[in-house]
Amino acid sequence: MIQIELPDGSIKEFSEATTPGDVAASIGAGLARQAVAARFNDHTVDLSTPITESGRLEIITLKSPEGLEIYRHTTAHLMAHAVKDIYGDKVQVTIGPAIESGFYYDFYCEDHTFSPDDFEKIEKRMQELAKANLPVRREEVTRDSAIELFRQLGEDYKVELIEDLGESTVSLYRQGDFVDLCRGPHLPSTGFIKAFKLTSVAGAYWRGSEKNAMLQRIYATAFPDKKALRSYLNKLEEARKRDHRRIGRELDLFSFSEEAGAGLVIWHPKGALLRTLLEDFERREHLRRGYDIVMGPQILRTDLWKTSGHFDNYRENMYFTDVDGQGYGLKPMNCLAHMLIYKSRQRSYRDLPIRYFELGTVHRHEKSGVLHGLLRVRGFTQDDAHILCTPEQLDMEIKRVLEFVRDVMGIFGFEYEVEISTRPEKSIGSDEDWERATRALMNALKDLELPHDINEGDGAFYGPKIDIKLKDALDRRWQCATIQCDFTLPERFDLTYVGKDGEKHRPVMLHRVILGAIERFIGVLIEHYAGNFPLWLSPVQAVVINVTDHQAEYAKSVTDTLRAAGVRVQSDLRNEKLGFKIREAQVEKIPYMLVVGDKEMADATVAPRFRTGKNLEPMSPEDFVRYVQEECDQYR
Ligand SMILES: [Zn+2]
Ligand SMILES: [Zn+2]
């Protein structure tokens, strides 16, 4: 008698060996339809895996993230099957995992370069294979016979994988005449797969190493039904339209140049202005909140990076140079100069908290494969601050940073999620330090009623932290603010303050950023707003457009008046049709078009028209200046 315990605690009895699929069917037809795999005594198994002993069983359905992952992973095999059917021996299969919003499969192929033109053909073959509803069968074989099999098939990568696995038996999955090495689990048959789409193709090194062969990675996605697939593809299309690299080019904000180097942003006039506006905002907001602005050098002596521990732990991401026999490191972080400022004189408890703020430009050597527009770069500027305080002040300081984050995210219209990461297994600092700091982070979140996830053991070895992920208009998550407690740097730099008791004490230290990297934040902002920046952030706030040449002089004088009053304005006096000039201004996403015709000229007014087509009442240029100032003061 086999006893199967279900998640609700109930027990089902079977007189002989059974399978998860049969158990699901015995519970209900609905469950059997949704079932994709199962967990038996904490191992994931196929629905067809025989159960010969008693144990706990949980059916995995398509409704769970894990179920969807199995669904997508099985679709990756379906894609590999279709590619092998079409391209035969020209192609070798490698690996095909599920990823966040779909899956990919890496192929080795010398004499064909996959392109989106191939997708339709591959999708068509996948549809045929799905329609044939081929059973997907698991097989356990010895390592040697698996190596023999894949060697015969000419699948060298599979042979290498099996050799490296070091297991005496491996599992294969067969569907029709296609066989693949895999741990599973998989869907029971290809007919379960209803909706998929190939999305893109990219190069990828075998096992991620530049020393290995270049493979071709086909990205795709799959959903349980066509409707869900369509809604995902629409979202993808919207994301493509909002791609900051594309909008950045269209609005002439920034560029990258191979001549200058990968991952290094070149800011064009409008982009540099946008960035300056954001930086001015940051300086203002930090000064209001009691931060001191400081500035450190770009390169600091290598010896100092040894003191800080960066040389030992972070060297491969740093750039070094030699000047007059002296080693220097280009800073990847801004902390060190701030430590030196603190140490430049004796500090008393009365001086604390000290909050050093720097718009600090740093360089980090990211792998070329991960570089992505403004979102992943090698040189960037952080809105970085280091707070040094007494242990008693820690709660308050963390709370103030979180309030800062809340206010700033409100201004940009971002919702956000909070995660707290606690002490990892390997860590430095006393139990007391960790408890106090973790409690301070928790208390601040509680006081501000911020719901949060806890990542147990996920903190840095030198202290717990809070990460803030903002949600953009397309519901994507972006890491921005962090608050990181640090027990090492005050030790390594021997930072002290004289307490009320006249003794020397160690200050507590926080590293924190609010927007994070300005480059990345601008990338996210561009996509969030789809390039339609609010008035206060727009590099060009208004364009003066004359109807005919007759008003050219008046349009010029309006432009001069506005510019002198601080409005970021340009004029379009070309001898073109009004409609054409308005459309061009809309393409440039300029918030206000100030149309001046004979009537406006006679009345000494302008007629502001918002980029969406909404008109304001005609007003004098001076009133428009006041209007812009008021809107900007409200961060609108
Ligand atoms: Zn698999
Ligand atoms: Zn720091």
Side-chain angles (χ1 to χ4, degrees):
M1 193 64 96
I2 295 169
Q3 293 191 323
I4 301 294
E5 187 188 335
L6 299 168
D8 65 0
S10 66
I11 308 253
K12 275 197 167 269
E13 298 200 325
F14 295 85
S15 55
E16 54 192 33
T18 180
T19 66
D22 290 341
V23 176
S26 78
I27 297 169
L31 182 66
R33 256 197 313 278
Q34 283 286 324
V36 292
R39 202 172 357 260
F40 184 62
N41 292 339
D42 300 325
H43 292 289
T44 44
V45 293
D46 294 312
L47 289 176
S48 58
T49 303
I51 297 178
T52 53
E53 54 176 3
S54 297
R56 279 168 293 115
L57 183 78
E58 185 191 335
I59 304 295
I60 299 171
T61 71
L62 267 180
K63 285 185 185 132
S64 70
E66 199 182 0
L68 187 60
E69 194 181 318
I70 292 165
Y71 181 88
R72 286 173 170 165
H73 171 73
T74 310
T75 315
H77 285 286
L78 185 72
M79 182 167 80
H81 188 170
V83 167
K84 282 298 285 183
D85 274 4
I86 298 167
Y87 300 94
D89 293 343
K90 274 204 264 181
V91 172
Q92 289 192 47
V93 288
T94 69
I95 56 162
I99 51 174
E100 202 190 331
S101 52
F103 61 89
Y104 66 77
Y105 206 108
D106 284 349
F107 298 98
Y108 175 77
C109 182
E110 243 173 38
D111 44 358
H112 180 73
T113 305
F114 290 111
S115 80
D117 296 339
D118 299 316
F119 289 176
E120 208 182 297
K121 191 164 51 177
I122 299 171
E123 282 166 358
K124 187 163 166 280
R125 184 63 192 145
M126 287 169 75
Q127 267 146 15
E128 289 163 4
L129 293 169
K131 205 158 166 238
N133 197 18
L134 305 168
V136 177
R137 291 212 176 86
R138 183 190 175 91
E139 225 175 82
E140 308 242 338
V141 298
T142 64
R143 171 196 143 96
D144 289 346
S145 59
I147 289 175
E148 177 64 25
L149 170 74
F150 284 110
R151 194 160 276 152
Q152 273 174 15
L153 291 170
E155 300 286 1
D156 304 335
Y157 293 90
K158 292 288 168 187
V159 172
E160 188 181 327
L161 283 173
I162 299 164
E163 280 170 346
D164 287 0
L165 269 178
E167 311 267 342
S168 56
T169 61
V170 297
S171 54
L172 309 178
Y173 278 85
R174 282 184 194 276
Q175 55 196 49
D177 54 5
F178 178 70
V179 58
D180 206 344
L181 171 79
C182 194
R183 199 171 281 135
H186 289 174
L187 298 171
S189 71
T190 57
F192 272 69
I193 300 169
K194 303 288 184 217
F196 48 81
K197 178 102 188 127
L198 275 52
T199 50
S200 61
V201 57
Y205 290 107
W206 168 237
R207 297 187 150 174
S209 166
E210 292 166 31
K211 292 186 196 106
N212 291 338
M214 178 63 95
L215 306 173
Q216 299 185 54
R217 174 171 297 176
I218 300 182
Y219 285 99
T221 193
F223 284 86
D225 58 69
K226 294 217 163 67
K227 197 171 149 227
L229 175 66
R230 247 195 322 272
S231 118
Y232 170 78
L233 292 175
N234 287 341
K235 226 172 166 180
L236 206 64
E237 181 53 31
E238 185 56 33
R240 205 169 286 147
K241 274 192 224 148
R242 287 171 181 247
D243 190 316
H244 72 280
R245 293 167 297 182
R246 171 185 181 153
I247 294 178
R249 200 165 43 242
E250 285 166 3
L251 300 186
D252 197 18
L253 300 176
F254 60 86
S255 64
F256 291 89
S257 155
E258 278 304 318
E259 288 166 276
L264 301 169
V265 189
I266 298 169
W267 293 100
H268 296 203
K270 282 178 191 161
L273 183 51
L274 169 63
R275 184 176 148 169
T276 304
L277 291 165
L278 209 53
E279 291 182 352
D280 289 347
F281 162 77
E282 292 251 45
R283 289 192 192 94
R284 234 169 20 240
E285 291 297 320
H286 279 83
L287 289 172
R288 279 179 50 191
R289 287 172 168 82
Y291 287 79
D292 296 316
I293 295 178
V294 297
M295 291 176 193
Q298 284 302 319
I299 57 173
L300 297 90
R301 281 174 54 185
T302 306
D303 289 344
L304 198 66
W305 296 112
K306 286 181 181 161
T307 306
S308 68
H310 287 90
F311 190 81
D312 286 338
N313 299 307
Y314 203 70
R315 190 176 36 205
E316 61 276 21
N317 298 309
M318 289 178 64
Y319 299 93
F320 290 94
T321 184
D322 262 343
V323 182
D324 293 341
Q326 186 81 257
Y328 289 85
L330 184 56
K331 68 173 171 174
M333 292 170 197
N334 304 298
C335 329
L336 268 51
H338 300 195
M339 302 296 97
L340 298 182
I341 300 169
Y342 184 92
K343 263 182 84 91
S344 63
R345 55 167 59 207
Q346 179 65 60
R347 305 290 173 180
S348 137
Y349 70 93
R350 286 193 205 88
D351 302 327
L352 303 182
I354 284 175
R355 308 183 191 98
Y356 293 136
F357 168 65
E358 177 171 8
L359 282 163
T361 300
V362 298
H363 288 81
R364 297 179 188 172
H365 190 79
E366 301 275 2
K367 287 213 174 98
S368 60
V370 302
L371 298 175
H372 179 90
L374 294 178
L375 301 178
R376 246 351 229 289
V377 288
R378 285 181 176 159
F380 54 94
T381 299
Q382 295 176 300
D383 61 341
D384 202 1
H386 295 92
I387 299 172
L388 293 134
C389 64
T390 68
E392 296 74 39
Q393 291 167 333
L394 187 61
D395 279 40
M396 196 54 192
E397 286 308 306
I398 291 170
K399 208 172 139 188
R400 290 174 58 119
V401 175
L402 283 168
E403 283 169 343
F404 197 170
V405 171
R406 185 191 56 196
D407 295 351
V408 168
M409 292 308 142
I411 286 170
F412 293 104
F414 286 120
E415 287 179 40
Y416 56 92
E417 290 169 355
V418 182
E419 288 173 10
I420 177 163
S421 298
T422 60
R423 189 176 193 172
E425 252 174 57
K426 261 195 180 166
S427 64
I428 65 133
S430 67
D431 291 354
E432 195 200 337
D433 283 343
W434 275 92
E435 253 163 57
R436 193 184 52 231
T438 310
R439 206 171 46 236
L441 293 173
M442 298 270 195
N443 285 346
L445 291 173
K446 206 170 119 206
D447 279 2
L448 296 174
E449 294 177 9
L450 285 170
H452 55 273
D453 289 335
I454 299 179
N455 298 329
E456 292 288 355
D458 225 18
F461 73 93
Y462 51 87
K465 63 170 176 172
I466 287 177
D467 287 318
I468 288 154
K469 288 189 175 136
L470 54 84
K471 280 197 273 184
D472 72 7
L474 295 183
D475 210 28
R476 296 169 300 184
R477 309 292 192 273
W478 302 97
Q479 166 83 49
C480 59
T482 358
I483 309 170
Q484 169 81 59
C485 299
D486 190 340
F487 309 131
T488 65
L489 282 187
E491 289 282 339
R492 281 175 175 269
F493 282 84
D494 192 26
L495 304 186
T496 59
Y497 66 93
V498 178
K500 273 187 192 140
D501 54 5
E503 302 286 318
K504 282 188 176 179
H505 299 270
R506 191 76 72 213
V508 182
M509 178 173 158
L510 296 174
H511 312 250
R512 50 104 286 188
V513 290
I514 305 290
L515 305 184
I518 305 282
E519 282 74 3
R520 185 154 197 268
F521 192 77
I522 289 179
V524 174
L525 268 189
I526 291 173
E527 300 195 3
H528 180 61
Y529 292 134
N532 294 299
F533 295 107
L535 190 64
W536 77 275
L537 264 183
S538 290
V540 181
Q541 295 172 310
V543 53
V544 181
I545 300 174
N546 58 339
V547 180
T548 66
D549 267 351
H550 188 225
Q551 306 93 22
E553 279 310 310
Y554 176 63
K556 264 187 219 160
S557 85
V558 167
T559 308
D560 291 345
T561 306
L562 298 182
R563 185 173 293 131
V567 176
R568 300 185 291 275
V569 63
Q570 65 189 34
S571 56
D572 185 350
L573 308 178
R574 289 174 301 167
N575 190 12
E576 298 279 358
K577 288 234 164 60
L578 180 62
F580 175 82
K581 294 204 273 191
I582 286 178
R583 265 195 308 283
E584 275 210 346
Q586 281 171 329
V587 170
E588 283 187 57
K589 300 178 193 282
I590 297 171
Y592 284 99
M593 289 151 240
L594 307 178
V595 177
V596 295
D598 283 340
K599 181 161 188 330
E600 284 76 20
M601 189 164 80
D603 298 350
T605 58
V606 293
R609 180 183 195 281
F610 194 58
R611 64 187 154 209
T612 54
K614 211 180 87 195
N615 293 317
L616 298 184
E617 287 296 313
M619 58 178 86
S620 69
E622 292 73 20
D623 281 343
F624 183 70
V625 169
R626 260 188 298 278
Y627 171 78
V628 169
Q629 277 163 354
E630 276 162 27
E631 291 286 291
C632 292
D633 287 346
Q634 310 275 333
Y635 294 123
R636 284 203 288 250

